[in-house]
Amino acid sequence: MKVLKFGGTSVGTVESLRSVKQIVEEIPGNAIIVVSALGGLTDKLISTAQLASMANPNWKSEMEAIRQRHLNIIEQVVPEELKEEVTTKVSRQLDALERNYEGVALLRTLPENTLDNIVSFGERMSSVIVAAMVENGKRYFSPDFIVTEKWYGKNIAETKKTDNLISKAFENIGPNEKAVVPGFISKDILTGEITNLGRGGSDYTGALIAAALDAEVLEIWTDVDGFMTADPRVVKEALIIPHLTFTESMELCNFGAKVVYPPTIFPVFHKNIPIKILNTFNPKAPGSLITDQTLEEDFDVKGVSSLKDVALVSFEINPELKNPSYHKRALNALSKHGIRIIPVANPNPDLELCFAVAATDSDRSLNILQTEFAPEISKGYIQSPLLKRNLAALALVGKNMRNKSALAARVGHSLRRKGIIVEAYSPGNSDTSIIYIIDQEKSPEALLLIHSLIFKEH
């Protein structure tokens, strides 16, 4: 069985939906089709909710635009004999959405659980439309079998329960059935309230289903031909990467590539289920294949990715009072609070401890570390942590990166020759990536420089 996920751009217009229909109907046997909301709709649902929470009457015209967009799509893609039924189902959803907005406008407040419910309507409605549009389509409701629990304030999948529920939900799928599932949305395991898997969560929905059912492949259909060696909006000469490993794809996504939502990779990685990245608008293109092993013909370096909005937290330690436990304590303190750390070192040897974090976590990281090392700071063993903002993390991703010290030095030298200061770097502590922390404004220039340096022979 295949699991296919179609993102917002793939279900955003009449033309793209017709392409989805053709792709799905050419699959022999059964398949599971995970769909996002219509392109751009999730942002529209959120912005309309914010207008309503301020009692701004413009929410009503936004709601009417949402309604008309869905009804127009139904009119053009749903078979004639099903139009009345689908229009009725989607209109009920639209009416329920409008009532949510009315409640928000009345109370002038937008609680998290209310917003979660509001944004769920995008996938609820798109899945009804797609299930009616494709031959042998049947809609399933993902909150019936994807459940979440809270972890540091975020909703994460409770995988054991979810696996069992998915297996039961699809145990009687028909031999030629195309099961259509709304992506992104889920249900809290304790309260039963609607939750979601985060922006990009439709990819994760597909991965959870593929892993639970031991699918032959997870296909992610998007608007690009596959993973590329750099962001093509910055580097016009970027190449398609024919093949990469799960770990390499995860690293590229963690450092800014938007092709796959990073948590997607974990469930299928553990089951060794390949992922294919394919283009809805160019379905004949071979795309990118992701598997567990490198291939002989693989690019040595797969790509260069850039993650913006990074901050650098660093400590100055009294050289006479160095303690190897400081580094471990700092890592543990941050990770216990759910903060993702980019392990790097500062070129300045006096700054012994150095961590890169997302800018949104920077103030919290500073407070955590000041608390953790309060005794040492008060005694003068460690200076108060320093924070540097407006940075970017550039990652070179590929195989055996730990052993590419000559490449790392060459890249660092090239950056410095162009006047791009390396604030911190990863000194060979990963097999998959080499990381440079630089000024965010210099990121496009650095990306062009590094890509040219590495891929000039391709």
Side-chain angles (χ1 to χ4, degrees), residues 66 75 78 84 128 137 141 160 186 212 218 257 280 288 428:
I66 292 168
E75 183 61 33
V78 173
E84 184 177 352
V128 171
F141 191 48
K160 186 175 181 180
S186 46
L218 169 63
T280 305
S288 296

Side-chain angles (χ1 to χ4, degrees), residues 377-391:
I377 292 170
S378 67
K379 294 175 183 176
Y381 298 171
I382 297 177
Q383 298 298 313
S384 291
L386 303 174
L387 185 62
K388 192 160 191 175
R389 306 177 192 270
N390 301 317
L391 301 174

Side-chain angles (χ1 to χ4, degrees), residues 155-265:
N155 297 310
I156 63 165
E158 206 292 335
T159 50
K160 186 175 181 180
K161 179 72 171 175
T162 293
D163 281 353
N164 291 334
L165 290 172
I166 290 171
S167 297
K168 289 178 182 176
F170 295 101
E171 61 185 354
N172 295 317
I173 187 171
N176 293 305
E177 184 180 307
K178 304 300 186 283
V180 178
V181 175
F184 174 65
I185 57 177
S186 46
K187 180 173 65 178
D188 187 274
I189 193 169
L190 297 177
T191 66
E193 290 183 328
I194 291 292
T195 56
N196 63 67
L197 300 172
R199 297 305 293 265
S202 292
D203 289 355
Y204 194 30
T205 303
L208 289 167
I209 293 171
L213 300 179
D214 293 314
E216 64 182 87
V217 67
L218 169 63
E219 294 183 354
I220 295 180
W221 289 83
T222 181
D223 57 358
V224 295
D225 283 345
F227 268 95
M228 303 193 77
T229 51
D231 184 343
R233 295 168 298 181
V234 179
V235 181
K236 303 301 181 189
E237 298 78 20
L239 308 167
I240 300 294
I241 307 172
H243 175 266
L244 59 168
T245 67
F246 289 117
T247 307
E248 290 165 344
S249 63
M250 201 180 306
E251 284 287 84
L252 283 171
C253 291
N254 281 333
F255 286 98
K258 304 294 185 185
V259 182
V260 179
Y261 180 51
T264 301
I265 298 162

Side-chain angles (χ1 to χ4, degrees), residues 34-176:
V34 178
V35 294
S36 297
L38 304 186
L41 186 71
T42 301
D43 287 336
K44 177 74 76 175
L45 291 168
I46 293 170
S47 63
T48 304
Q50 290 167 342
L51 287 173
S53 71
M54 296 182 287
N56 185 325
N58 289 335
W59 75 261
K60 295 180 181 179
S61 58
E62 295 293 286
M63 176 65 224
E64 185 57 28
I66 292 168
R67 183 183 295 275
Q68 288 307 314
R69 183 181 181 190
H70 284 82
L71 296 179
N72 290 341
I73 291 274
I74 292 168
E75 183 61 33
Q76 296 181 74
V77 302
V78 173
E80 195 64 41
E81 66 273 16
L82 294 175
K83 276 182 186 173
E84 184 177 352
E85 177 188 346
V86 173
T87 300
T88 299
K89 286 180 179 178
V90 172
S91 293
R92 284 180 189 149
Q93 299 273 20
L94 289 161
D95 291 344
L97 173 61
E98 188 165 3
R99 286 194 297 273
N100 271 266
Y101 285 140
E102 287 170 347
V104 170
L106 181 65
L107 298 174
R108 297 196 181 195
T109 185
L110 185 57
E112 181 185 349
N113 60 344
T114 300
L115 184 59
D116 283 348
N117 192 49
I118 285 170
V119 296
S120 75
F121 280 93
E123 279 76 9
R124 293 188 198 208
M125 294 186 290
S126 65
S127 57
V128 171
I129 294 168
V130 173
M133 179 185 72
V134 301
E135 189 175 353
N136 297 320
K138 180 181 176 181
R139 181 180 181 259
Y140 290 69
F141 191 48
S142 47
D144 290 340
F145 45 83
I146 295 183
V147 294
T148 61
E149 58 185 349
K150 285 288 185 185
W151 188 76
Y152 291 110
K154 296 178 181 178
N155 297 310
I156 63 165
E158 206 292 335
T159 50
K160 186 175 181 180
K161 179 72 171 175
T162 293
D163 281 353
N164 291 334
L165 290 172
I166 290 171
S167 297
K168 289 178 182 176
F170 295 101
E171 61 185 354
N172 295 317
I173 187 171
N176 293 305

Side-chain angles (χ1 to χ4, degrees), residues 322-398:
K322 289 180 183 178
N323 187 324
S325 71
Y326 288 167
H327 190 271
K328 185 176 181 180
R329 279 174 58 193
L331 284 173
N332 288 342
L334 293 171
S335 60
K336 277 195 302 186
H337 288 82
I339 293 174
R340 181 196 163 211
I341 303 151
I342 303 170
V344 288
N346 197 296
N348 183 345
D350 292 330
L351 294 170
E352 291 291 331
L353 290 184
C354 184
F355 306 96
V357 298
T360 50
D361 288 330
S362 59
D363 289 331
R364 196 157 61 100
S365 299
L366 203 61
N367 292 334
I368 290 166
L369 293 173
Q370 283 173 332
T371 301
E372 173 68 25
F373 290 101
E376 287 83 1
I377 292 170
S378 67
K379 294 175 183 176
Y381 298 171
I382 297 177
Q383 298 298 313
S384 291
L386 303 174
L387 185 62
K388 192 160 191 175
R389 306 177 192 270
N390 301 317
L391 301 174
L394 293 185
L396 280 65
V397 175

